[in-house]
């Protein structure tokens, strides 16, 4: 564990506390929303807009972090936004207010993610990227298991009292914000200030000048995102089959425990066998899981399928960011990850909205089978394009000292 620095530990615990707060609410969100009158189409629209808010803001704030050469302020402000959004959800049940509160939460994630992932990248080397990102995902996801467990315990004693949970979730949110105050930016070599202003859609400019390997990887990942809808639909499938709120939350806790258990080991393995290899293994597990979910209604099979889903998440989420960060200069890490996230969230907005419509028109089986087929196309794409060069494998021109540059 010597390769895990103090900064990585702090970031990991900040994410753990935040996920305790967020994931305490996530599995009960579709149940709560349906209880206040949201239809499955409206839930899909809400999740799509939430993802778009996250992604588009990631692109902007990621580039702003790179231009300002600062990470910590973006991380702290982002976690503050997510913390204050929790009690907002409990105040009113009007759809417009719910959309606003959810957007504030996702905006917080957008502000912090690029800077946080860039800080994680700075704390690692190309040979340890998978391990560092995997360790962070492991603690992050441990929080995602603790949160729903607390929600399940609370609902055992106070069944149906969902609104109070939003107030309780404010406490771990504050703990996350307090822990983030221990972060410090690394001292960087003096660099010329960048005069060009950062606009909300300036990450489009980065896409034009980004390395070709980065573009190839992102195109494949974006196609996958276009069919990877919100996990809310998986929980709705379980709810539809077993009609038991406690079991829905229990399945989600189980998934996060599997994810947390495999995130670090798979990150270590990815550093040894290749990030792309583990990523494609994850996509294969995703296809198997969604195909299985589309044809079963048995509780014991749900648990087996969520083992695959936890392993998929452990093999892709942190690994994909580690892979992308290896393709670009360290000066552009937050911008590169933010740009990917910006396009990704537009795709996920379309995906969640489309999934809601397909579910409504054709049923849950078709809505879940489509992502399984799409992931197989992505696997074929990455196999066809072959090896993608990382930034470190590309010769970097060194200025001649005599030239005065």
């Amino acid at each position: 564990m010597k390769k895990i620095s103090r900064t990585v530990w702090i970031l990991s615990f900040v994410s753990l506390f935040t996920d305790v707060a967020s994931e305490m609410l996530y599995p009960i969100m579709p149940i709560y929303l349906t209880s206040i009158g949201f239809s499955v189409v409206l839930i899909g629209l809400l999740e799509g807009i939430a993802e778009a808010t996250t992604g588009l803001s990631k692109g902007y704030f990621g580039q702003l972090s790179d231009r300002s050469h600062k990470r910590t302020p973006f991380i702290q402000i982002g976690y503050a936004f997510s913390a204050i959004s929790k009690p907002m959800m409990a105040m009113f049940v009007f759809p417009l207010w719910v959309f606003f509160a959810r957007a504030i939460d996702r905006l917080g994630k957008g502000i912090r993610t690029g800077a946080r992932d860039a800080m994680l990248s700075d704390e690692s080397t190309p040979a340890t990227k998978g391990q560092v990102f995997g360790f962070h995902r492991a603690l992050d996801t441990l929080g995602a298991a603790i949160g729903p467990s607390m929600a399940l315990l609370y609902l055992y004693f106070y069944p149906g009292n969902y609104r109070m949970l939003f107030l309780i979730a404010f406490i771990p949110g504050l703990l996350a914000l307090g822990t983030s105050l221990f972060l410090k930016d690394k001292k960087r070599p003096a660099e010329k200030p960048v005069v060009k202003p950062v606009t909300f859609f300036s990450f489009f400019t980065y896409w034009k000048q980004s390395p070709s390997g980065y573009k190839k990887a992102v195109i494949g990942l974006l196609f996958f995102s276009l069919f990877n809808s919100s996990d809310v639909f998986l929980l709705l499938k379980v709810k539809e089959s077993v009609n038991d709120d406690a079991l829905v939350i229990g399945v989600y806790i189980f998934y996060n425990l599997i994810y947390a258990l495999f995130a670090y080991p798979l990150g270590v393995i990815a550093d040894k066998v290749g990030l792309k290899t583990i990523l494609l293994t994850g996509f294969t597990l995703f296809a198997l899981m969604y195909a299985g979910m589309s044809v079963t209604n048995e509780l014991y099979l749900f648990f087996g399928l969520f083992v695959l889903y936890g392993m998929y998440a452990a093999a892709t989420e942190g690994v994909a960011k580690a892979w992308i960060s290896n393709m670009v200069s360290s000066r552009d890490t937050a911008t590169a990850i933010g740009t990917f996230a910006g396009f990704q969230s537009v795709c996920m907005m379309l995906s969640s909205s489309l999934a809601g419509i397909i579910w409504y028109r054709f049923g849950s089986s078709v809505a879940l089978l489509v992502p399984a087929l799409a992931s197989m196309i992505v696997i074929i794409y990455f196999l066809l394009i072959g090896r993608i060069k990382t930034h470190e494998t590309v010769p970097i021109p060194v200025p001649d000292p005599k030239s005065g540059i």
Side-chain angles (χ1 to χ4, degrees), residues 113-177:
T113 300
R116 183 201 64 202
D117 290 341
M119 186 175 276
L120 286 170
S121 181
D122 290 342
E123 293 294 318
S124 62
T125 67
T128 62
K129 285 282 174 77
Q131 183 177 165
V132 168
F133 276 87
F135 179 78
H136 173 263
R137 294 308 305 169
L139 263 68
D140 180 290
T141 311
L142 180 60
I146 294 171
S149 300
M150 293 172 65
L152 192 62
L153 182 64
Y154 174 82
L155 290 174
Y156 176 78
F157 292 103
Y158 304 98
N161 192 2
Y162 301 121
R163 295 179 72 180
M164 181 57 69
L165 271 176
F166 289 92
L167 298 176
I168 295 172
F170 186 49
I171 298 170
L174 286 178
L175 287 174
L177 180 58

Side-chain angles (χ1 to χ4, degrees), residues 216-298:
K216 288 179 182 178
V218 167
I219 286 171
L221 294 172
L222 290 181
F223 183 82
F224 175 75
S225 298
L226 194 58
F227 295 92
N228 182 15
S229 57
S230 169
D231 291 347
V232 164
F233 291 100
L234 295 175
L235 300 179
L236 283 174
K237 169 67 175 182
V238 178
K239 169 73 172 175
E240 178 185 80
S241 302
V242 301
N243 196 30
D244 187 317
D245 294 353
L247 281 175
V248 173
I249 298 173
V251 168
Y252 190 67
I253 293 168
F254 178 72
Y255 150 69
N256 279 305
L257 285 172
I258 297 296
Y259 183 176
L261 182 65
F262 280 95
Y264 181 69
L266 285 177
V268 173
I269 294 170
D271 286 330
K272 294 179 180 178
V273 304
L275 298 171
K276 180 181 173 182
T277 301
I278 295 298
L279 196 65
L280 295 186
T281 302
F283 289 149
T284 304
L285 294 173
F286 176 93
L288 293 172
M289 190 274 182
Y290 264 78
M293 287 289 288
S294 71
V295 297
T296 188
N297 291 301
E298 299 294 332

Side-chain angles (χ1 to χ4, degrees), residues 84-392:
I84 64 173
S85 71
K86 302 301 185 290
M88 290 175 65
M89 290 287 286
M91 292 172 66
F92 299 104
V93 295
F94 301 119
L96 190 61
W97 179 261
V98 173
F99 272 72
F100 177 69
R102 187 86 171 110
I104 289 291
D105 177 48
R106 297 295 85 187
L107 178 61
K109 185 172 183 179
I111 293 171
R112 68 180 182 256
T113 300
R116 183 201 64 202
D117 290 341
M119 186 175 276
L120 286 170
S121 181
D122 290 342
E123 293 294 318
S124 62
T125 67
T128 62
K129 285 282 174 77
Q131 183 177 165
V132 168
F133 276 87
F135 179 78
H136 173 263
R137 294 308 305 169
L139 263 68
D140 180 290
T141 311
L142 180 60
I146 294 171
S149 300
M150 293 172 65
L152 192 62
L153 182 64
Y154 174 82
L155 290 174
Y156 176 78
F157 292 103
Y158 304 98
N161 192 2
Y162 301 121
R163 295 179 72 180
M164 181 57 69
L165 271 176
F166 289 92
L167 298 176
I168 295 172
F170 186 49
I171 298 170
L174 286 178
L175 287 174
L177 180 58
T179 306
S180 73
L181 298 178
F182 291 97
L183 290 170
K184 290 182 180 179
D185 280 315
K186 275 186 173 181
K187 288 184 178 179
R188 296 172 177 270
E191 295 183 38
K192 260 188 172 182
V194 181
V195 179
K196 192 176 179 182
V198 179
T199 63
F200 197 73
F201 293 100
S202 58
F203 59 86
F204 281 107
T205 304
Y206 177 74
W207 173 260
K208 294 177 184 176
Q209 62 192 32
S210 61
S212 61
Y214 170 84
K215 289 177 182 175
K216 288 179 182 178
V218 167
I219 286 171
L221 294 172
L222 290 181
F223 183 82
F224 175 75
S225 298
L226 194 58
F227 295 92
N228 182 15
S229 57
S230 169
D231 291 347
V232 164
F233 291 100
L234 295 175
L235 300 179
L236 283 174
K237 169 67 175 182
V238 178
K239 169 73 172 175
E240 178 185 80
S241 302
V242 301
N243 196 30
D244 187 317
D245 294 353
L247 281 175
V248 173
I249 298 173
V251 168
Y252 190 67
I253 293 168
F254 178 72
Y255 150 69
N256 279 305
L257 285 172
I258 297 296
Y259 183 176
L261 182 65
F262 280 95
Y264 181 69
L266 285 177
V268 173
I269 294 170
D271 286 330
K272 294 179 180 178
V273 304
L275 298 171
K276 180 181 173 182
T277 301
I278 295 298
L279 196 65
L280 295 186
T281 302
F283 289 149
T284 304
L285 294 173
F286 176 93
L288 293 172
M289 190 274 182
Y290 264 78
M293 287 289 288
S294 71
V295 297
T296 188
N297 291 301
E298 299 294 332
L299 181 62
Y300 71 94
L301 288 177
F302 285 143
F303 277 97
L305 291 169
F306 271 92
V307 170
L308 298 182
Y309 198 57
M311 293 175 67
Y312 141 75
T316 56
E317 293 194 17
V319 171
K321 291 178 181 178
W323 193 34
I324 287 174
S325 69
N326 272 348
M327 296 174 189
V328 299
S329 164
S330 60
R331 297 188 305 271
D332 297 323
T333 305
T335 303
I337 293 176
T339 297
F340 162 61
F343 289 122
Q344 182 188 44
S345 292
V346 171
C347 291
M348 291 186 75
M349 177 186 68
L350 296 173
S351 174
S352 291
S353 301
L354 181 63
I357 294 170
I358 294 175
W359 187 303
Y360 178 75
R361 292 290 303 273
F362 304 104
S364 59
S365 294
V366 176
L368 295 172
L369 186 60
V370 169
L373 296 174
S375 64
M376 297 307 297
I377 296 173
V378 173
I379 293 168
I380 294 169
Y381 166 80
F382 278 121
L383 290 174
L384 289 176
I385 64 173
R387 183 173 179 271
I388 297 177
K389 289 184 178 181
T390 62
H391 179 74
E392 285 72 21

